[in-house]
Amino acid sequence: AHEVRKVKKYKNGFITDPICLAPTHTIADVDRVKADHGFAGIPVTVDGNMGSRLVGIVTNRDVDFLQDRSLALSEVMTTELTVAHEPVTLREANAILRESKKGKLPVVNANGEL
C-alpha cells in the first residue's frame, strides 16, 4: 500500500501532492519530513499548504550543517527560485531543469501558487 501511495503522488513525472511547510516551521520539521518520507526538498508556502503562494524551498543544502534545529525556515530557505508556470509539459520542465542546473522545479500558477 505504501508503494501505491508513493506512485499516486506522481502524475506524468510531476509530484502532484507535495508535502509543504510554512516559513514559521523549523529545521526540526524538515528533519521529521525527511525521517518519515525520505526526502528533504520541501516547498515552503505562505501557510504551509498546497495551493497557496510559494515563497521558498528548503533542501538538505540549506539545513545540513546548521546546529540549531529550532531555526525558522524563513531564516534558511532558498527564496531565489527557478519555477515553471502552468501549463507545462514534462519535456518543457526537464528543459528548464537542465538549463537552470537545479534539482527541483516547482510548478506555479499565474498567482505564484503551488
Side-chain angles (χ1 to χ4, degrees):
H2 174 68
E3 292 301 314
V4 171
R5 266 196 311 280
K6 241 172 32 176
V7 171
K8 285 187 177 181
K9 286 189 173 239
Y10 295 88
K11 182 178 179 189
N12 300 323
F14 294 98
I15 299 171
T16 57
D17 189 19
I19 294 170
C20 300
L21 294 174
T24 54
H25 280 105
T26 66
I27 297 173
D29 295 312
V30 173
D31 293 339
R32 272 191 290 284
V33 170
K34 186 174 182 180
D36 292 347
H37 302 282
F39 60 85
I42 303 166
V44 180
T45 63
V46 289
D47 63 6
N49 293 309
M50 174 74 178
S52 64
R53 190 169 51 82
L54 181 69
V55 293
I57 193 166
V58 64
T59 68
N60 286 328
R61 289 181 186 157
D62 297 315
V63 301
D64 271 356
F65 299 106
L66 298 175
Q67 298 297 314
D68 184 356
R69 307 317 266 178
S70 68
L71 284 173
L73 297 186
S74 60
E75 297 181 47
V76 299
M77 67 185 182
T78 299
T79 56
E80 296 292 319
L81 302 176
T82 299
V83 299
H85 295 273
E86 289 181 325
V88 63
T89 66
L90 185 58
R91 178 174 289 187
E92 292 166 336
N94 282 328
I96 294 168
L97 279 171
R98 258 192 318 278
E99 278 181 34
S100 67
K101 297 183 179 168
K102 302 282 184 186
K104 313 272 186 284
L105 183 68
V107 179
V108 297
N109 65 19
N111 297 322
E113 298 161 335
L114 191 63

